[in-house]
Amino acid sequence: MQLVINGQEKDLQSSGTVTQMLKELDITGSHIAVALNFQVVPRSSYDQTPLNEGDKIEIVHAVGGG
């Protein structure tokens, strides 16, 4: 499946949902946010949110500091 992730085209094998995509990209942790086609996806919906060919996804990591 061809997706645009953080502005770069990526060809992923088994990304049917947001959860599967994050696993395939080896992204873990609780301090991330995902937007799918410019809409923030609630963490509680990652398992039920399907991905489609050509979707635009932004993944951001929260970074603390002072």
Side-chain angles (χ1 to χ4, degrees):
M1 174 182 303
Q2 191 80 21
L3 301 170
V4 179
I5 301 174
N6 292 350
Q8 297 183 3
E9 289 188 18
K10 299 222 183 233
D11 189 25
L12 301 179
Q13 299 301 316
S14 62
S15 296
T17 65
V18 171
T19 297
Q20 291 171 337
M21 175 199 62
L22 292 173
K23 285 181 183 175
E24 189 169 343
L25 294 171
D26 198 28
I27 297 175
T28 59
S30 59
H31 295 20
I32 63 165
V34 176
L36 173 61
N37 298 320
F38 307 105
Q39 296 289 324
V40 174
V41 178
R43 182 176 296 279
S44 61
S45 299
Y46 285 4
D47 286 339
Q48 297 85 25
T49 303
L51 300 176
N52 297 299
E53 187 78 23
D55 278 346
K56 292 177 176 55
I57 299 160
E58 293 293 322
I59 303 170
V60 292
H61 300 262
V63 177

